[in-house]
Amino acid sequence: MVLIGLCNLAAVSAVSGKPARGGAPAPGTAGDELQRQIYAARDQVLPALVNVQPVVPDYSSGTKEKSQVTGSGVVVRAEGYVVTNYHVAGHSEQVICTLWNKERLRAELIGGDPLTDLAVLKLDFSDYKGERPPAAEFGDSDALQTGQIVMALGSPFALSRSLSFGVISTTDRYLPADFRLPSGERTGIFNTWIQTDAAINPGNSGGPLVDLSGRVVGINSRAFVMANNLGFSIPANVVREVSGAIIAGGKVERSWIGVEVQPLQELEDFFAARAGGVLVSDVEPESPAESAGIKPGDLLVRVGNKDVTARFYEEIPLFYSFVAGLPADKEVEIAYQRAGSLQTVRLTPREYGRSSGSDFEVKAWGFTVRGITQQTVLDMHLDNASGVLVSGVRGGSAAEEGGLAPQDIVRFIGETKVESLEQFRQLYEGLSKGTPEPIMLHVKRRDSGRFVLIKPGGREG
Amino acid sequence: MRRGLERCGSSAALAVLLMGGVQAAQAGPRQIYERQRGSVVAVTYYVETRMMRQVREVEGRDLAVVVGTDLIMLNGAVVTSSATGAQPHDFKVHFGGGVVRNASFVGRDEFANIAFLRLQGTLPPGVQPLRFDVRSRPHVGDDVYVLGLLPDNLEPMVHLAAGRVVADVDKPKPFLVTDLNAEDALGGPVFDADGRAVGVLSELGGAGPSFVSSFGGEEGSYYGILVPSATLAPLIASPPRKGEARRAWLGITLQALTPEMADYWKLPAQSGIIVNSVIPGSPAAVAGLQEGDIILEMNGAPVPVDREDHVPIFVEQVGLAGVATQLHLGIVRGGSRQEVDVVLQAAPKSPQEAEEYHNNDFELTVRELVFADLRAHDLAPDFRGVMVSRVEEGSWSSVGGLEAGDIIQRVDDETIAAPADVKRVLEDAAKKEIRKLVFFVERDGRSQFITVKTDWQG
């Protein structure tokens, strides 16, 4: 158990009051003890701290634009695996990392998980002669307490090796799951957050939140802008699981049954819920849950062998995370209550799949596209996954001239149906060779089709 | 109150004097200002805006023109400005001398971008409706004058701006372009040098729901668009009524056939309309029009739409053709010419025309779900529900979590398909003093349950 901050915190305010009356605290006071612990914790984690500078492509303007961003990271395995945020390095093409000793080296992206906003890099030690960074030790985030003293380390506004200090403001903050990463993916569905008042600024993202023993208890990921000291970290237990899966297999495997749920609080009597349960608020079309006949208003009480309940928002991520952990393609029994009577149904979870497809620049025609995944289909209420999603249209390009717009879905090139990004790429590469000819695309825009005539070599030359 | 009456009296006296002068032949900017400014009024109302997820009510203020003994005309953009599709409400008309009258919304004409209010009570003494002169249409080069309102004054402080007609545009529809660039004169009456009211200033290039919205709007260079008297007069004589479907529609989504596309497909015409989808049950569907058909002719004449900005020409032609009219369309389908006859039907209601219901206990306003909502929210044609158009802040509904834009599908175990269903359920709840209602709503493409608690002790 980590030292609790309450009395130490009181000592801190005593310390901050004292210098005005002259002098540092006398040796052996509580303030002195806290200072000693902070130094010790710092020394424990600082060698594992990494400044992460990935080069990230952005396809949203219809062309591939690269920029270098700065974030933070922490070494989690002595072989050189570094955990950072997905929104820092999840799309990176190359990454420069700076270690605690100011040495700079390259890293490669091993994998990322937008749903928890985590990514794993591997440092390339091949040309590195210096001392290798140790792996940081992880703490148990389930054992954290509100008021516990923590420190945030990282590179706020690219100011590397910065340390800020505070307490855990709450251990299980629920943040609405409609938040999206800048690259468009849904995120934050499977975890609650550690809220801290340790200063977290842009650039802190991916850096560790550590306790007074120097153990990583969270990965700093978000902060409220225009607020004072409202920072949010992904709990270490989630980080350990996700980064472990990425290191082992390059990705996190999750299952999906297609239910959206909401807290049962205040609705118990309406749904005659005697023993808790998880209230289904929505069922995704063509999902395992829909095929099994589950409907909004059903109260899930048992999934497999586990009793489930969610009275409060804070319990919702736990349920989603539990369902995601069911084995895909293996039948599971679900017990639910409908109109007061208990029923059971068997369904087979499906693989959750990738959050978003790969990006591709359709240079000669002046736009960018992204592959369509099962998640895109759900997100955009599409009928199926055929076609490619237009992610950007370059100003002044043939595509813009022809009336193409972001969010259009290219369904046909000429008379050929577009099935996948790979097939689209091949079609495009075939067509863009030789003398440019006008090409007719047929796209889906909202609920209607639309023709887009591309005349390459137009006014852009 | 007393003081207001006195002021009203003196302004009436002034108006009577001016009335005497109307007949005088001599006109000019000064005469226009002095004779006509009484018909220019300020209209205030409440409208909803959305900031992040927060819906707030703000007070709006616009210029309007008295065009009948109880009829007020204003810019049509006002009634479509709500962030939630809720209608602006609590209209008040502010006359000179501090006289204020309540008014109710009558309707809006989409094509002319003009809306009308009906005054409750009579015009203050001395205020005369403005008469538009349908016979005079200024020419390029003519001087024109517009009356506007100076900003931030509830009491109308009328100003006059001068300009010139700079172009006479044919497409996408006939209108006059002026160099009047006075934002606070939008909706204001425009006069020629002889003092005849020749139209209203509809908009300054830029955005707007009307036809001319694609015109102008390059940075800094705005042009005042003049909607001529000939367009206004029939609307003033018979204002569009909310809920009364006057326009006709085909029921297709469409795009322009550009000459480049016509060449690509080797079509025998250089303009037309591509049918991108056919709405089930619409006149187009009944007539057998199909996705991918290209309409080249309507009633024997070529469809003159060769660029996207001009699609409204076709929409207006159809819209004004009238319900139950038969259109004879010449189309190309799969490379061959065909003829299709379509009998037009009334276009579906717009959100502004939708039937509303307000409940005082729950401080909740809902409105009928219309075709445009189904499209905007990607809902199936057979989806049933009502749209929450307004929730008073701090009300039971708002505390419970209902938001403007939610679509109510069920309340407790009652299916909701029309505002009347909400009325029945909420009034019944009031009668039984029910403590809690569970709403099942659709929000942002997902459904959820929302508990609304009352203060009743039932």
Side-chain angles (χ1 to χ4, degrees):
Chain A
M1 190 58 213
V2 184
L3 273 169
I4 306 303
L6 196 61
C7 85
N8 283 331
L9 195 64
V12 174
S13 56
V15 170
S16 63
K18 269 191 177 171
R21 285 196 292 269
T29 64
D32 201 33
E33 170 60 13
L34 176 62
Q35 184 64 74
R36 194 192 58 74
Q37 287 178 358
I38 291 171
Y39 288 153
R42 174 203 64 190
D43 293 344
Q44 188 80 12
V45 73
L46 202 60
L49 186 66
V50 181
N51 168 293
V52 180
Q53 289 190 299
V55 173
V56 183
D58 176 8
Y59 291 85
S60 64
S61 59
T63 181
K64 182 177 170 177
E65 287 174 348
K66 291 195 252 185
S67 60
Q68 191 168 24
V69 298
T70 296
S72 309
V74 63
V75 178
V76 294
R77 300 271 174 97
E79 303 97 292
Y81 290 104
V82 173
V83 163
T84 183
N85 277 136
Y86 186 88
H87 77 258
V88 171
H91 288 278
S92 58
E93 295 191 332
Q94 49 165 314
V95 189
I96 303 294
C97 287
T98 309
L99 304 181
W100 90 105
N101 56 8
K102 307 188 189 69
E103 293 291 343
R104 230 194 307 227
L105 53 158
R106 284 182 179 278
E108 93 179 286
L109 176 67
I110 300 299
D113 181 44
L115 289 159
T116 52
D117 193 12
L118 290 168
V120 176
L121 310 171
K122 189 163 193 277
L123 296 168
D124 178 2
F125 290 125
S126 49
D127 293 326
Y128 179 69
K129 305 282 185 290
E131 190 186 339
R132 292 202 179 186
E137 197 183 326
F138 269 52
D140 177 9
S141 52
D142 287 341
L144 293 175
Q145 302 210 24
T146 298
Q148 185 172 338
I149 292 179
V150 284
M151 292 173 281
L153 290 96
S155 308
F157 289 99
L159 303 171
S160 58
R161 304 183 313 281
S162 298
L163 183 151
S164 60
F165 177 85
V167 293
I168 289 177
S169 307
T170 195
T171 55
D172 64 339
R173 173 67 62 212
Y174 172 85
L175 297 175
D178 52 12
F179 191 84
R180 274 169 198 277
L181 296 175
S183 44
E185 296 96 342
R186 248 185 121 184
T187 189
I189 306 156
F190 297 114
N191 59 279
T192 53
W193 305 75
I194 302 166
Q195 184 185 325
T196 179
D197 71 343
I200 288 178
N201 286 289
N204 269 114
S205 283
L209 185 75
V210 300
D211 63 15
L212 274 185
S213 305
R215 284 191 284 242
V216 177
V217 297
I219 292 295
N220 304 321
S221 304
R222 299 186 191 176
F224 281 179
V225 288
M226 318 256 284
N228 287 317
N229 309 330
L230 294 176
F232 303 95
S233 308
I234 304 162
N237 293 3
V238 174
V239 179
R240 191 187 287 114
E241 196 179 312
V242 168
S243 61
I246 294 173
I247 292 167
K251 61 174 182 177
V252 185
E253 282 175 6
R254 290 195 182 87
S255 297
W256 173 77
I257 63 170
V259 291
E260 296 278 328
V261 304
Q262 72 175 87
L264 188 55
Q265 189 189 19
E266 295 190 336
L267 289 160
E268 280 109 336
D269 49 348
F270 184 74
F271 290 103
R274 282 171 209 95
V278 176
L279 177 61
V280 175
S281 56
D282 202 5
V283 178
E284 301 283 7
E286 287 169 50
S287 64
E290 193 198 50
S291 317
I294 291 176
K295 290 188 165 54
D298 287 348
L299 203 59
L300 311 183
V301 292
R302 202 179 63 246
V303 178
N305 297 323
K306 190 179 158 72
D307 291 338
V308 291
T309 195
R311 275 202 80 218
F312 306 112
Y313 275 111
E314 289 78 0
E315 295 168 298
I316 300 260
L318 211 65
F319 171 77
Y320 284 140
S321 157
F322 165 70
V323 168
L326 294 170
D329 303 321
K330 189 170 166 233
E331 213 177 43
V332 63
E333 189 179 82
I334 294 184
Y336 65 95
Q337 187 189 295
R338 177 183 295 172
S341 78
L342 199 66
Q343 318 198 7
T344 59
V345 73
R346 300 185 74 79
L347 58 76
T348 309
R350 287 213 298 263
E351 211 180 298
Y352 197 97
R354 291 178 61 189
S355 287
S356 66
S358 308
D359 292 295
F360 176 66
E361 181 180 9
V362 194
K363 206 163 189 168
W365 299 345
F367 62 102
T368 49
V369 293
R370 188 171 259 201
I372 295 177
T373 66
Q374 177 185 262
Q375 293 308 312
T376 323
V377 172
L378 292 173
D379 249 21
M380 297 186 64
H381 303 281
L382 305 178
D383 301 329
N384 56 59
S386 70
V388 290
L389 175 65
V390 176
S391 47
V393 178
R394 193 171 72 227
S397 66
E400 191 194 51
E401 195 86 329
L404 194 72
Q407 303 293 305
D408 281 354
I409 288 163
V410 182
R411 286 267 157 100
F412 283 89
I413 298 184
E415 302 293 314
T416 314
K417 189 156 188 262
V418 177
E419 295 292 351
S420 65
L421 181 64
E422 180 52 28
Q423 178 228 10
F424 174 88
R425 198 181 57 76
Q426 286 170 11
L427 281 170
Y428 161 72
E429 275 162 10
L431 286 166
S432 55
K433 272 185 212 131
T435 331
E437 293 281 332
I439 287 153
M440 187 68 83
L441 305 181
H442 190 253
V443 304
K444 180 179 153 61
R445 180 176 300 173
R446 297 177 57 90
D447 59 350
S448 165
R450 200 170 177 84
F451 291 97
V452 174
L453 184 65
I454 307 258
K455 293 178 82 178
R459 65 177 184 189
E460 219 180 27
Chain B
M1 191 64 208
R2 242 189 108 90
R3 195 163 155 247
L5 278 173
E6 279 167 18
R7 287 173 64 187
C8 170
S10 66
S11 102
L14 183 66
V16 170
L17 269 178
L18 291 173
M19 288 284 297
V22 169
Q23 303 307 324
Q26 199 193 18
R30 188 173 143 196
Q31 284 73 23
I32 290 168
Y33 181 75
E34 287 179 354
R35 290 170 195 168
Q36 310 286 13
R37 68 178 175 194
S39 65
V40 174
V41 293
V43 168
T44 57
Y45 50 88
Y46 286 89
V47 66
E48 292 179 345
T49 60
R50 198 188 282 270
M51 264 189 73
M52 312 291 277
R53 285 205 63 90
Q54 290 279 329
V55 176
R56 290 203 182 288
E57 295 223 320
V58 295
E59 195 184 38
R61 176 180 179 273
D62 275 279
L63 177 157
V65 187
V66 179
V67 294
T69 49
D70 63 350
L71 197 62
I72 308 290
M73 180 172 83
L74 71 165
N75 196 289
V78 171
V79 293
T80 55
S81 59
S82 162
T84 60
Q87 289 143 17
H89 51 97
D90 292 337
F91 284 101
K92 286 190 173 18
V93 179
H94 302 258
F95 295 90
V99 179
V100 180
R101 296 265 194 280
N102 290 335
S104 54
F105 178 60
V106 176
R108 179 178 77 103
D109 186 273
E110 194 184 334
F111 296 122
N113 191 28
I114 290 294
F116 293 93
L117 303 178
R118 187 75 66 192
L119 211 57
Q120 287 159 22
T122 54
L123 284 177
V127 175
Q128 287 289 315
L130 186 73
R131 306 277 176 221
F132 286 94
D133 190 330
V134 292
R135 284 154 308 171
S136 43
R137 180 182 166 92
H139 298 94
V140 173
D142 287 355
D143 286 335
V144 283
Y145 303 92
V146 66
L147 291 180
L149 279 184
L150 292 175
D152 297 320
N153 251 308
L154 283 184
E155 183 178 334
M157 185 57 74
V158 178
H159 75 74
L160 177 128
R164 199 164 269 168
V165 176
V166 296
D168 192 340
V169 176
D170 211 27
K171 273 184 173 184
K173 70 172 193 178
F175 59 87
L176 293 169
V177 184
T178 71
D179 61 358
L180 290 166
N181 184 3
E183 202 175 334
D184 40 18
L186 276 185
V190 177
F191 302 88
D192 65 12
D194 297 326
R196 291 181 296 224
V198 293
V200 294
L201 193 64
S202 164
E203 52 189 305
L204 304 175
S210 84
F211 254 82
V212 286
S213 56
S214 57
F215 179 82
E218 295 289 325
E219 257 176 66
S221 64
Y222 288 102
Y223 292 94
I225 308 299
L226 178 60
V227 173
S229 295
T231 306
L232 299 175
L235 294 170
I236 293 169
S238 158
R241 290 256 296 280
K242 181 186 166 187
E244 177 191 331
R246 293 154 39 108
R247 283 171 299 123
W249 82 325
L250 262 178
I252 58 173
T253 59
L254 67 178
Q255 89 181 87
L257 176 71
T258 64
E260 292 81 11
M261 287 173 150
D263 290 344
Y264 181 89
W265 281 316
K266 300 184 173 57
L267 294 175
Q270 293 286 295
S271 66
I273 287 288
I274 303 170
V275 178
N276 278 331
S277 68
V278 178
I279 286 125
S282 67
V286 171
L289 272 180
Q290 294 174 11
E291 178 181 344
D293 287 351
I294 300 170
I295 304 170
L296 300 181
E297 289 168 4
M298 186 158 82
N299 294 338
V303 174
V305 177
D306 59 0
R307 44 188 272 200
E308 212 53 28
D309 313 356
H310 291 174
V311 166
I313 298 176
F314 180 78
V315 176
E316 186 173 47
Q317 274 180 347
V318 171
L320 297 179
V323 173
T325 306
Q326 178 172 299
L327 294 182
H328 186 68
L329 303 179
I331 67 163
V332 170
R333 177 181 299 165
S336 65
R337 299 288 297 251
Q338 299 194 21
E339 317 271 296
V340 176
D341 288 324
V342 186
V343 180
L344 297 179
Q345 295 169 13
K349 278 184 193 176
S350 70
Q352 283 74 32
E353 293 165 328
E355 184 194 323
E356 265 192 334
Y357 165 69
H358 175 77
N359 184 286
N360 278 325
D361 293 319
F362 289 83
E363 298 176 87
L364 173 71
T365 312
V366 297
R367 66 166 173 79
E368 191 185 356
L369 209 54
V370 295
F371 173 73
D373 298 319
L374 297 179
R375 283 202 67 194
H377 295 267
D378 207 3
L379 301 170
D382 59 353
F383 189 93
R384 293 287 168 268
V386 301
M387 177 72 75
V388 174
S389 52
R390 219 162 85 216
V391 182
E392 303 297 337
E393 211 170 313
S395 63
W396 298 338
S397 309
S398 136
V399 170
L402 278 177
E403 292 179 5
D406 287 351
I407 301 171
I408 303 173
Q409 293 178 263
R410 271 205 317 266
V411 181
D412 286 352
D413 291 323
E414 300 284 332
T415 305
I416 301 295
D421 297 329
V422 178
K423 179 177 192 297
R424 179 170 43 80
V425 172
L426 297 189
E427 286 178 358
D428 190 51
K431 216 175 291 163
K432 295 178 184 155
E433 303 214 315
I434 286 178
R435 300 171 76 147
K436 186 161 99 177
L437 289 175
V438 176
F439 288 73
F440 182 58
V441 307
E442 176 97 5
R443 178 185 300 169
D444 300 336
R446 299 190 182 279
S447 55
Q448 60 177 297
F449 297 91
I450 287 169
T451 312
V452 174
K453 292 179 175 171
T454 70
D455 293 342
W456 290 318
Q457 300 301 316

